[in-house]
Amino acid sequence: MKLLERLDINTAQWHLASTYEKFEQVVVLALTGLIIVVIASAVWHLAAKVLFSLILSSFDPTDPAVFQTVFGMILTVIIALEFKHSILIMVRRQQSVVQVRAVVLIAMLAVIRKFIIIDISTTTASHVLALAAAIIALGAVYWLVREQDRKDQIDVPERGTREIRDHA
C-alpha cells in the first residue's frame, strides 16, 4: 500500500497539488507524528503517576488537590487529542487550513482545564471573573461560527434546488 493511501491522502489531489501544498501536507504530517509522540508520552506518565500513587497509597481521590491534578492532566491529553484531530482534518483536506471552530473549541477546553485546576484559596476574584468572561466570549464565538456553518449547509442545497427548478 502506498504511503499516501495509508495516510488517507487522495493521490490524485497529491499529484495535482502545488509544491507549497505538498510542503504543507508534509509539515502537517510531521506535526501529527510529533503530537502522537507527546500524547503517548503524556498518557504513559499519567498512568505511571496514578499507578505509583495507588501502590504507595498516597493517592486519595477525595483530596481536592489530587483530583485537580489528575483531571488537569487528563484534560491536557484531551486538548492534545483535539489538536491532533484538527490537524488530521487538514491532512485530509476536508476543510481549510484555519478552522476557527476547532481553535475556539481547543481554547475553551484550555480555559475549562484552568477552572478545574485553579486553587480557589489563592486566586483573586478578578482572575476568576476574567476566566469566566473568556469562556463566555469563546462560547459566543463558537455559537456564531456554528450558526454560520449551519446557514452555509442550508444554503448549499437550496441553491442546488433553485438551479434545478430554473433549468426545468
Side-chain angles (χ1 to χ4, degrees):
M1 183 181 287
K2 294 181 181 179
L3 176 64
L4 295 175
E5 291 171 357
R6 291 187 76 190
L7 296 172
D8 199 21
I9 297 174
N10 187 340
T11 53
Q13 287 179 347
W14 178 261
H15 293 296
L16 295 175
S18 68
T19 304
Y20 180 77
E21 289 170 337
K22 289 178 182 178
F23 169 75
E24 186 179 82
Q25 291 291 317
V26 170
V27 169
V28 167
L29 289 172
L31 287 174
T32 301
L34 290 173
I35 291 171
I36 288 170
V37 169
V38 169
I39 291 171
S41 174
V43 169
W44 176 259
H45 287 285
L46 174 63
K49 283 183 181 182
V50 171
L51 290 175
F52 286 129
S53 295
L54 282 173
I55 291 169
L56 299 174
S57 69
S58 64
F59 185 77
D60 181 12
T62 59
D63 179 19
V66 172
F67 181 83
Q68 289 172 327
T69 302
V70 170
F71 279 96
M73 290 187 289
I74 290 170
L75 277 173
T76 300
V77 172
I78 291 171
I79 291 167
L81 286 170
E82 184 59 36
F83 187 65
K84 182 194 66 69
H85 176 72
S86 66
I87 289 177
L88 286 177
I89 289 173
M90 287 189 295
V91 170
R92 294 181 182 137
R93 287 288 184 196
Q94 294 172 351
Q95 295 185 11
S96 65
V97 173
V98 178
Q99 302 167 36
V100 175
R101 197 164 41 163
V103 171
V104 171
L105 179 64
I106 292 167
M108 287 174 67
L109 285 170
V111 174
I112 290 168
R113 179 192 172 277
K114 183 67 176 172
F115 266 120
I116 288 175
I117 65 170
I118 200 167
D119 183 5
I120 209 71
S121 64
T122 61
T123 304
T124 63
S126 60
H127 188 228
V128 174
L129 184 61
L131 288 173
I135 202 72
I136 289 170
L138 287 168
V141 169
Y142 186 83
W143 180 78
L144 289 171
V145 170
R146 189 188 67 174
E147 286 300 311
Q148 184 61 43
D149 287 349
R150 280 187 184 162
K151 287 179 184 176
D152 291 345
Q153 289 174 353
I154 290 170
D155 287 345
V156 170
E158 286 179 2
R159 286 185 199 140
T161 306
R162 281 189 217 137
E163 290 174 2
I164 292 171
R165 275 190 253 146
D166 291 343
H167 292 294

